[in-house]
Amino acid sequence: MTLPIDTPAVLVDLNVAEANVRAFQSYCDRHSLKLRPHIKTHKLPQLAEYQLAQGAIGITCQKITEAEAMIAGGDMRDILITYNILGAEKVARLRALSERVALSVVADNLTVVEGLSAGFAGANKPLPVLVECNTGADRCGVETPEAALALAQAIDAAPGLKFAGLMTYPPVGGAAKVTTWLAEAKARIEATDLTVEVISSGGSPDMWQAHEMPLATEYRVGTYVYNDRSLVTRGICTWDDCALTVLATVVSTPSATRAVIDAGSKVLTSDLLGLEGYGHVLGHPDFMIDQLSEEHGRITSAQPTGLRVGDQVRIVPNHACVVANMLDHITLMRAEEVAGQETVAARGQVW
Amino acid sequence: MTLPIDTPAVLVDLNVAEANVRAFQSYCDRHSLKLRPHIKTHKLPQLAEYQLAQGAIGITCQKITEAEAMIAGGDMRDILITYNILGAEKVARLRALSERVALSVVADNLTVVEGLSAGFAGANKPLPVLVECNTGADRCGVETPEAALALAQAIDAAPGLKFAGLMTYPPVGGAAKVTTWLAEAKARIEATDLTVEVISSGGSPDMWQAHEMPLATEYRVGTYVYNDRSLVTRGICTWDDCALTVLATVVSTPSATRAVIDAGSKVLTSDLLGLEGYGHVLGHPDFMIDQLSEEHGRITSAQPTGLRVGDQVRIVPNHACVVANMLDHITLMRAEEVAGQETVAARGQVW
């Protein structure tokens, strides 16, 4: 079927996205887990509002400018920014934000805590700060429960700040280790006069096992709203659960087993996430998108592709979040009907 | 040295970019080769105008919307779009463009030729179309000199179109094979009553060997204006010739040998171009950017990094063109002085 859409285009099927949101909200409700979706995947106030309407307690952003874009475009009241925020200019913007919504942030080091404190000293209300903990993903986070305690105490002692709890971006499949780590940190901290109100965990790959870590009070998840090839490959969802697809047109068929489409790395991105090839061509499990340049994607197949110049193909990308960041506009769908165009409000917001 | 720039930021040193433009223009002038820079790298009318002022005969774009953005922002008079353009809407926009500048395009198949002809039938002047030839890069292009002749004849016979020559995106290091291929195609075509006015080749990796293929009448090159880690690794240029860098701040130092910066795949992109790691940290050849998530880059080192939270690092990315596509604005520099902010006019223009 040919869609009346100029290509390349990023399509989001709202029916699928909304069903994904409802399904995981329902799971969280069953397990009394608070859900705080990460907007980095969709970057759309409209979908954040849908997530909140279904029961999410607030949203997660990674950057201040993402939070600003979400507030500008929708009714957001509770935002956690899971990032070490540094620099006087950024902290001043953070303080302005904190006067508009219930805002909290994370920190994993004293330099960040001191910067936040300098910016929030004298504020009407203290800024809640969670200690980011490295429970095995080896990105950010304090390295040990002892270090978590020390930073919690530093936050508690810092003017303008309030220690609010613990946050981790856990390693996939690491629930047992993560629980041990966080339980020890919580015990150490609560052996002082501090309370760990929030323990925030997250991640789409383990989302259906979130209840196995009851220690966590809230769960952050982003990709689940769209899903992608990475999550299908991990068995988390099916192709039918993938709300975001890339629509492309065959522009060249140099040989029977090779075709070139008008979606390259400027749409699909080069994110592999451990997979082979740059996306799954729906209906053609035998196709491989084996090479991307900026504006071309190359499809190869052991058998003749059967594709003709002008044919459309629809691709589930490896990683939905980064694809949603590439174009200023996406096309909203309801099943096979075009429901409109939407500006990706928080696209490219990296500050 | 700490620059007074909020991070992450994409910096372009105009001194270096302009020197790169002058150096290759001078080479082309020495070899009587016409230069037609590809604007996909910088996406800036300002730099395209500089390239033209130094002697470029026109510019290359990959997409119609890139060409539109360049015309809107600068004085462009001669544009080659090296893409199979398909679809009535795109062809109509192409025709509108052709009334404003000297425009030419490429085609590698009859479907594209027929679509262009349908859109240009009755136009004031015919649209010049070059036959795209696959000389070994195995992306687009007709597969044989015989097929080039057949398509040239089809273009010549198509109302509204004019056969203008041959175009190839050659494989790196393939000059001898490319020359044989194109010479045979030219001979076959000129054995009819057609003339091959233009033979357009290109590519940054082989740019300093462009004179070894005298058959080509013009050369297209994009990355040379900024250069990048890929070209340094190939020995085409030095770190000092890299005009585009990413400025990032260390936001976490979880261990002595690991640091996390505020530039992730939304700035550096996941393009590897066959390299290990996601960029070169200037002044730190021992550092590896071994992992990116959207907003975090992880630096690892066998030795302690010596980095502290708040330190700035400057990174030469693997692939400059795709990095220039990630943010709406770049910071222009003159050596270590900030010269202003610039909107990346043709960013995200994929149609």
Side-chain angles (χ1 to χ4, degrees):
Chain A
M1 187 177 123
T2 299
L3 291 168
I5 298 169
D6 203 15
T7 64
V10 174
L11 314 185
V12 169
D13 187 329
L14 289 173
N15 290 354
V16 178
E18 291 169 2
N20 292 338
V21 168
R22 289 194 304 272
F24 193 59
Q25 184 66 55
S26 164
Y27 164 88
C28 289
D29 292 346
R30 275 201 307 284
H31 293 286
S32 301
L33 191 61
K34 292 173 186 162
L35 178 58
R36 183 185 287 281
H38 204 311
I39 61 81
K40 73 176 184 124
T41 304
H42 55 64
K43 309 174 208 298
L44 299 175
Q46 165 181 354
L47 276 174
E49 287 185 336
Y50 187 84
Q51 290 168 318
L52 293 165
Q54 299 307 307
I57 60 160
I59 61 169
T60 310
C61 297
Q62 205 71 347
K63 292 292 181 95
I64 296 169
T65 46
E66 285 183 331
E68 289 171 344
M70 298 311 284
I71 292 174
D75 182 17
M76 313 289 145
R77 300 179 191 184
D78 185 330
I79 301 181
L80 168 64
I81 303 180
T82 45
Y83 209 83
N84 278 322
I85 292 167
L86 263 178
E89 192 187 329
K90 287 197 176 79
V91 173
R93 284 169 76 164
L94 196 65
R95 183 160 166 177
L97 265 185
S98 78
E99 283 157 18
R100 303 177 60 192
V101 295
L103 185 71
S104 50
V105 299
V106 307
D108 78 354
N109 65 76
L110 267 181
T111 308
V112 167
V113 168
E114 288 164 2
L116 292 171
S117 177
F120 278 79
N124 293 329
K125 52 181 180 180
L127 177 71
V129 181
L130 287 77
V131 173
E132 180 164 0
C133 303
N134 177 17
T135 57
D138 290 344
R139 195 171 67 181
C140 294
V142 296
E143 291 288 291
T144 63
E146 294 83 345
L149 167 61
L151 198 62
Q153 290 176 317
I155 293 166
D156 182 57
L161 308 186
K162 172 178 180 276
F163 169 71
L166 304 173
M167 170 264 171
T168 192
Y169 176 66
V172 175
K177 189 183 159 201
V178 174
T179 300
T180 304
W181 202 113
L182 294 174
E184 187 183 335
K186 178 175 154 73
R188 282 178 184 266
I189 293 168
E190 295 196 335
T192 70
D193 60 349
L194 294 173
T195 306
V196 178
E197 280 178 28
V198 175
I199 295 186
S200 179
S201 187
S204 289
D206 286 336
M207 58 190 259
W208 300 110
Q209 285 81 48
H211 65 285
E212 293 174 12
M213 197 168 70
L215 190 69
T217 62
E218 68 173 37
Y219 203 76
R220 309 180 318 277
V221 66
T223 316
Y224 84 115
V225 62
Y226 286 165
N227 291 312
D228 55 23
R229 184 179 178 219
S230 164
L231 292 179
V232 173
T233 305
R234 287 175 183 274
I236 311 302
C237 58
T238 69
W239 298 119
D240 288 342
D241 301 322
C242 292
L244 181 146
T245 52
V246 170
L247 186 70
T249 299
V250 175
V251 295
S252 181
T253 52
S255 82
T257 59
R258 189 168 92 238
V260 180
I261 56 174
D262 62 357
S265 69
K266 279 172 67 180
V267 182
L268 291 165
T269 85
S270 298
D271 267 28
L272 285 169
L273 298 186
L275 302 169
E276 202 180 349
Y278 296 96
H280 170 80
V281 183
L282 285 171
H284 297 283
D286 49 321
F287 288 3
M288 173 73 76
I289 303 176
D290 76 334
Q291 185 181 289
L292 296 182
S293 42
E294 280 112 296
E295 308 288 3
H296 293 97
R298 188 172 75 174
I299 291 175
T300 54
S301 175
Q303 301 301 318
T305 64
L307 293 173
R308 292 165 311 168
V309 171
D311 284 355
Q312 287 183 348
V313 294
R314 213 155 150 181
I315 301 159
V316 177
N318 291 344
H319 189 186
C321 314
V322 294
V323 172
N325 187 53
M326 297 309 286
L327 302 185
D328 292 339
H329 306 284
I330 56 163
T331 303
L332 299 177
M333 308 287 292
R334 293 279 179 192
E336 298 303 301
E337 294 295 319
V338 176
Q341 271 227 333
E342 184 72 28
T343 300
V344 186
R347 195 209 66 73
Q349 300 294 8
V350 297
W351 296 276
Chain B
M1 188 178 122
T2 299
L3 291 168
I5 298 170
D6 204 14
T7 64
V10 174
L11 315 185
V12 169
D13 187 329
L14 290 174
N15 290 354
V16 178
E18 291 169 1
N20 292 338
V21 168
R22 289 194 304 272
F24 193 59
Q25 184 66 55
S26 164
Y27 164 87
C28 288
D29 292 346
R30 272 200 308 283
H31 293 286
S32 302
L33 192 61
K34 291 175 186 162
L35 178 58
R36 182 185 286 282
H38 203 311
I39 62 82
K40 73 178 185 123
T41 304
H42 55 64
K43 308 174 209 298
L44 300 174
Q46 166 181 354
L47 276 175
E49 286 185 337
Y50 187 84
Q51 290 168 316
L52 293 166
Q54 299 308 307
I57 59 159
I59 61 169
T60 309
C61 296
Q62 205 72 345
K63 293 291 180 95
I64 296 169
T65 46
E66 285 183 331
E68 289 171 345
M70 298 311 284
I71 291 174
D75 182 16
M76 312 289 144
R77 301 178 191 185
D78 184 330
I79 301 181
L80 168 65
I81 304 181
T82 46
Y83 209 83
N84 277 322
I85 293 168
L86 262 179
E89 193 187 328
K90 286 197 176 81
V91 173
R93 285 168 76 165
L94 196 65
R95 182 159 165 177
L97 265 185
S98 77
E99 283 156 19
R100 302 177 60 192
V101 295
L103 185 71
S104 50
V105 300
V106 307
D108 78 353
N109 65 76
L110 268 181
T111 308
V112 167
V113 168
E114 288 163 3
L116 292 172
S117 178
F120 278 78
N124 293 330
K125 51 181 180 180
L127 177 71
V129 182
L130 287 76
V131 172
E132 180 164 359
C133 303
N134 177 19
T135 56
D138 290 344
R139 195 171 67 181
C140 294
V142 296
E143 292 287 293
T144 61
E146 294 84 345
L149 167 62
L151 198 62
Q153 290 176 318
I155 292 166
D156 181 58
L161 308 186
K162 172 179 181 275
F163 169 69
L166 304 172
M167 171 263 170
T168 192
Y169 176 66
V172 175
K177 190 183 158 201
V178 174
T179 299
T180 304
W181 202 114
L182 294 175
E184 186 182 337
K186 178 176 154 72
R188 282 178 184 267
I189 292 169
E190 296 196 335
T192 70
D193 60 348
L194 294 173
T195 306
V196 179
E197 280 178 27
V198 175
I199 295 185
S200 179
S201 186
S204 289
D206 286 335
M207 58 189 258
W208 300 110
Q209 285 80 49
H211 65 286
E212 294 174 10
M213 196 168 71
L215 190 69
T217 63
E218 67 173 40
Y219 203 76
R220 310 180 316 278
V221 64
T223 315
Y224 84 114
V225 62
Y226 286 166
N227 290 313
D228 55 23
R229 184 179 177 220
S230 164
L231 291 180
V232 173
T233 305
R234 287 175 182 273
I236 311 301
C237 58
T238 69
W239 298 119
D240 288 342
D241 300 322
C242 292
L244 181 147
T245 53
V246 170
L247 186 71
T249 299
V250 175
V251 295
S252 181
T253 52
S255 83
T257 57
R258 189 168 92 238
V260 180
I261 56 174
D262 62 358
S265 68
K266 279 171 67 181
V267 182
L268 291 166
T269 85
S270 297
D271 266 29
L272 286 169
L273 298 186
L275 301 169
E276 201 180 350
Y278 296 97
H280 170 80
V281 183
L282 285 172
H284 297 283
D286 49 320
F287 288 3
M288 172 74 75
I289 303 175
D290 75 333
Q291 187 181 288
L292 296 183
S293 42
E294 279 112 295
E295 307 288 4
H296 293 98
R298 188 172 75 174
I299 290 174
T300 54
S301 175
Q303 301 301 318
T305 65
L307 292 174
R308 293 165 311 167
V309 172
D311 285 354
Q312 287 183 347
V313 293
R314 214 156 151 183
I315 301 159
V316 177
N318 291 345
H319 189 186
C321 314
V322 294
V323 172
N325 188 53
M326 298 308 286
L327 303 185
D328 292 339
H329 306 284
I330 56 163
T331 303
L332 299 177
M333 308 287 291
R334 291 279 179 191
E336 297 303 301
E337 295 296 319
V338 176
Q341 273 226 334
E342 184 71 29
T343 300
V344 185
R347 194 209 67 73
Q349 299 294 7
V350 298
W351 297 277

